[in-house]
């Protein structure tokens, strides 16, 4: 599957997006389509981690430190969110 996320890959924000943190969420604007996206606290942490040039695995580590959840559950959630960001073309994998 083309949009299958991998925890050890590096992803970058699409350069045609603009984002801003507002309280516990991040709001993203796709500048090409004018579509707004709102990310909850967990997805915001993932977005910001990827924006730092870090892997989704680092997002898993950060989220495990914040929430009392099993690492396997967090990894599954992170993978799903990264796949959603890929489908929306808000991020792309760096080869």
């Amino acid at each position: 599957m083309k949009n299958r996320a991998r925890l050890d890959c590096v992803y970058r924000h699409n350069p045609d997006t603009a984002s801003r943190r507002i309280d516990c969420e991040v709001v993203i604007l796709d500048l090409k389509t004018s579509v707004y996206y709102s990310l909850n606290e967990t997805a915001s942490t993932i977005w910001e981690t990827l924006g730092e040039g870090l892997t989704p695995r680092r997002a898993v580590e950060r989220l495990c430190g914040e929430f009392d959840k099993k690492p396997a559950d967090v990894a599954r959630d992170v993978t799903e969110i990264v796949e959603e960001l890929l489908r929306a073309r808000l991020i792309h994998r760096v080869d």
Side-chain angles (χ1 to χ4, degrees), residues 3 8 11 14 17 19 21 26-27 29-30 39 41 46 51 53 56 59-60 62 64 71 75 80 82-83 93:
N3 290 331
D8 292 319
Y11 298 87
N14 181 329
T17 62
S19 63
R21 178 174 272 282
V26 168
V27 177
L29 171 62
D30 183 324
L39 304 180
E41 186 175 0
I46 296 165
V60 170
R62 286 181 177 179
C64 283
E80 289 175 8
V82 170
E83 288 173 356
R93 193 171 92 189

Side-chain angles (χ1 to χ4, degrees), residues 6-47:
R6 301 172 112 173
L7 291 177
D8 292 319
C9 289
V10 174
Y11 298 87
R12 296 275 187 250
H13 295 170
N14 181 329
D16 294 319
T17 62
S19 63
R20 174 129 4 228
R21 178 174 272 282
I22 301 171
D23 295 323
C24 294
E25 68 177 16
V26 168
V27 177
I28 304 167
L29 171 62
D30 183 324
L31 299 171
K32 282 192 171 183
T33 64
S34 299
V35 174
Y36 277 95
Y37 299 85
S38 178
L39 304 180
N40 66 20
E41 186 175 0
T42 300
S44 294
T45 297
I46 296 165
W47 175 260

Side-chain angles (χ1 to χ4, degrees), residues 1-9 11 42-43 45-47 50 55-61 63-64 69-88 91 93:
M1 172 187 270
K2 183 178 179 182
N3 290 331
R4 186 76 184 141
R6 301 172 112 173
L7 291 177
D8 292 319
C9 289
Y11 298 87
T42 300
T45 297
I46 296 165
W47 175 260
L50 299 179
T55 65
R57 187 168 307 284
R58 288 288 293 136
V60 170
E61 293 168 4
L63 291 166
C64 283
K69 292 183 84 176
K70 295 178 184 176
D73 293 339
V74 175
R76 184 188 66 244
D77 293 345
V78 168
T79 298
E80 289 175 8
I81 292 168
V82 170
E83 288 173 356
E84 289 178 25
L85 294 171
L86 284 166
R87 277 192 297 276
I91 61 171
R93 193 171 92 189

